[in-house]
Amino acid sequence: MLVDAFFALLDIWVLVAAVSGIVAGIVIGAIPGLGPTMAIALLIPVTFSMDPIPAITLLLGVYQGAIFGGSISAILLNVPGTPSSAATAIDGYAMARAGQGGKALRIALFASVFGNIFSCLVLMMLAQPLASMALNFGPAEMATLMLFALTVIILFGGGAKLDAAIMVLVGICAGIIGLDPIEGTPRFTFDNFSLENGLQLIPVLVGLFAMSEVFLQLFNRPKVSAGTQEVPELLPSKVGLIEMWRMKTSLFLSSVIGTFIGILPGIGSTVPAFMSYSLARSRSREPSSFGKGAPEGVAAPEAANNAVTGGALIPTLALGIPGDAVTAVILGAFMLQGLAPGPFLFRDYGVEVYAIFEALLLSSIPCIIFGLLLFRVAVHVIRIQPRHLFPAITILALLGAFSVNNSMVDVWVMLGAGVVGFLLRRSGFPLPPLLIGLILGKSLEQSLRQALLTSGGSLEIFTASPIAAGFLVIIALCLIAAVVFHLKARNPSEKSATGDV
């Protein structure tokens, strides 16, 4: 299958898609506020007429390029292009101010490629066995698995847990719009035939992440334009294999952190980036150099946040459970190409899936080439004025939403999702839990109701299965751990308050 997949890559359009995606991703990633989620959501309509392999390769190239591209503006301007690049900016910007911006960018690039290659290899090893194991899952096992995924998103996704829980519930409620999966009766469609198939994923994605950003820019215009910032001069510098070899342990541990935290649903790349930065600092012989321009402070978070790429794809493809907001968008792209993620994906479309894996792995070569070429160009993209950029995004969003089904209903859904996303982001609510709740809501309801119908309404079906019971135990342990962490976090403040009194 691996050989057949390699021959499937011998198509000029796959190479064009990979290069185009990486170049676009690097440029988009350098622009604060855009990032891979918005870029992929806007580009999905472009892939409608493409074959599955080049289409998914294009989107994954954008994902891979944008994660690295975020480090360009983070290092040179101290303006993270993506949230996960905030960890890179700590030491990267310090190096740039010391005249080592070129060196910092090269370290970030090589660390990014290392993390991507590591996570791709893990993806190729784990995804198919996990999917094969999931073939034995019945409705009870699938229901508890999705409940576990939503629990992890709420408890460990970062931010306020109550906010995340509310967003998950809102997403589940939006996901059950349409025909009842068991009885076939319409629900919450308001007698609109177009809503009987539910809210289409692509218009909702475009609205939540693209239109909401446009609305935010309209209401939150910065007083000082980013274009007025001075870009540090990139002095000639080289980063050799010997210097990268000295950081091999940090690169490896950071890649492990990024890959395996990426597997957990909803956490994303920001948490592993800061975790790997803290680990590298604690292991360093000179921890005081961190924050002042330590090369390992650039390499560790970049290896971690790029390793999330492959890790997040493991549950997305094997189980149909997205690992983060970006893979949730990519999951929609797979479905539009007729490749439904889940246990049957590897059985029915094994060659296509492994060709995509190999394309993601081989994309490291053009990523290095174009990353080195685009250092000086991509950073100036931040000078594009919002009045030029966001009207173009609005036009692409409108065209993309309409092109899904050639329906104005999808356009209105996209605009409505944009308004909802804008209001939620202004209020401080996270959008990824809402998105993942939307994707999993209908499947969770269907599995839960099928399990209860099979057992005649008895809840014992969830304890009779060892797998389902195991997931319930893990959920209980997660809840206990969250309570313990919360109590430990409160105790020091209470003690200090008592001492002050």
Side-chain angles (χ1 to χ4, degrees):
M1 189 177 293
L2 288 172
V3 175
D4 292 340
F6 179 77
F7 282 112
L9 292 179
L10 300 180
D11 182 348
I12 186 62
W13 292 113
V14 176
L15 177 61
V16 171
V19 172
S20 302
I22 288 169
V23 172
I26 292 174
V27 173
I28 291 171
I31 304 175
L34 298 190
T37 307
M38 178 194 292
I40 294 173
L42 289 174
L43 284 175
I44 283 180
V46 177
T47 64
F48 286 167
S49 59
M50 299 172 65
D51 292 332
I53 296 175
I56 303 300
T57 300
L58 171 68
L59 300 180
L60 290 177
V62 173
Y63 187 12
Q64 182 180 354
I67 296 294
F68 162 69
S71 67
I72 297 177
S73 55
I75 290 171
L76 296 183
L77 301 174
N78 201 25
V79 180
T82 57
S84 60
S85 301
T88 307
I90 299 173
D91 281 277
Y93 185 59
M95 292 181 68
R97 286 186 300 172
Q100 295 182 312
K103 180 179 179 180
L105 288 170
R106 283 167 174 79
I107 290 174
L109 175 61
F110 297 145
S112 299
V113 170
F114 183 91
N116 180 68
I117 292 174
F118 180 89
S119 67
C120 284
L121 294 175
V122 175
L123 170 65
M124 296 175 72
M125 289 189 293
L126 294 186
Q128 203 235 350
L130 184 61
S132 299
M133 183 178 68
L135 287 172
N136 299 320
F137 284 14
E141 291 81 3
M142 289 303 299
T144 52
L145 171 62
M146 285 183 275
L147 187 61
F148 164 69
L150 296 176
T151 303
V152 171
I153 293 165
I154 294 171
L155 296 180
F156 306 111
K161 296 175 178 56
L162 179 59
D163 292 349
I166 292 172
M167 289 297 95
V168 166
L169 291 175
V170 170
I172 291 175
C173 292
I176 64 176
I177 293 174
L179 296 178
D180 185 293
I182 304 297
E183 299 176 359
T185 56
R187 302 178 301 185
F188 309 111
T189 60
F190 303 99
D191 296 326
N192 190 321
F193 178 77
S194 299
L195 292 178
E196 289 191 357
N197 289 326
L199 298 177
Q200 296 297 307
L201 182 58
I202 301 306
V204 173
L205 289 173
V206 173
L208 283 177
F209 293 99
M211 284 306 300
S212 67
E213 183 66 31
V214 173
F215 293 146
L216 278 175
Q217 292 293 330
L218 285 174
F219 285 88
N220 295 332
R221 293 183 179 179
K223 296 180 180 179
V224 179
S225 173
T228 61
Q229 299 186 49
E230 183 179 352
V231 180
E233 183 181 359
L234 294 180
L235 300 176
S237 62
K238 292 183 179 180
V239 177
L241 291 176
I242 296 177
E243 186 164 0
M244 297 304 296
W245 178 257
R246 292 172 184 162
M247 297 184 282
K248 60 183 182 299
T249 306
S250 289
L251 291 173
F252 175 76
L253 293 176
S254 299
S255 299
V256 170
I257 291 172
T259 301
F260 289 97
I261 290 185
I263 295 174
L264 299 176
I267 294 182
S269 56
T270 304
V271 172
F274 279 96
M275 285 181 62
S276 62
Y277 180 85
S278 300
L279 179 63
R281 182 174 56 186
S282 64
R283 292 185 64 260
S284 176
R285 295 178 180 177
E286 298 179 359
S288 60
S289 65
F290 279 71
K292 302 176 182 177
E296 279 192 67
V298 175
E302 281 302 300
N305 60 29
N306 279 268
V308 171
T309 306
L313 285 171
I314 294 174
T316 303
L317 301 183
L319 305 173
I321 297 175
D324 59 8
V326 185
T327 49
V329 182
I330 293 174
L331 183 145
F334 269 88
M335 296 173 66
L336 287 173
Q337 292 291 335
L339 309 176
F344 297 103
L345 179 65
F346 290 84
R347 187 193 68 181
D348 299 337
Y349 303 100
V351 173
E352 289 83 354
V353 173
Y354 276 100
I356 292 168
F357 289 171
E358 292 176 2
L360 183 60
L361 187 62
L362 296 174
S363 293
S364 299
I365 299 173
C367 187
I368 292 176
I369 296 172
F370 289 97
L372 293 172
L373 292 175
L374 291 174
F375 282 164
R376 299 177 182 274
V377 177
V379 71
H380 293 287
V381 175
I382 197 174
R383 299 183 183 278
I384 298 176
Q385 296 296 321
R387 66 175 183 271
H388 300 142
L389 179 64
F390 288 98
I393 292 175
T394 303
I395 294 172
L396 289 174
L398 293 170
L399 292 176
F402 180 78
S403 62
V404 175
N405 294 308
N406 293 332
S407 170
M408 282 301 297
V409 173
D410 289 337
V411 174
W412 291 114
V413 168
M414 184 273 293
L415 292 173
V419 173
V420 171
F422 163 72
L423 295 175
L424 292 175
R425 292 174 69 178
R426 286 268 293 191
S427 303
F429 287 95
L431 293 184
L434 185 153
L435 176 60
I436 297 176
L438 172 68
I439 293 173
L440 298 183
K442 199 163 190 175
S443 300
L444 174 62
E445 181 204 7
Q446 184 172 351
S447 298
L448 184 62
R449 292 176 64 183
Q450 285 177 345
L452 292 175
L453 285 173
T454 302
S455 65
S458 173
L459 296 176
E460 291 182 3
I461 190 172
F462 297 105
T463 57
S465 166
I467 297 176
F471 279 123
L472 292 176
V473 170
I474 295 173
I475 291 170
L477 292 175
C478 288
L479 292 171
I480 293 171
V483 172
V484 171
F485 290 149
H486 177 69
L487 292 176
K488 284 185 176 181
R490 286 184 57 188
N491 285 338
S493 61
E494 290 179 356
K495 289 179 180 178
S496 62
T498 305
D500 293 340
V501 173

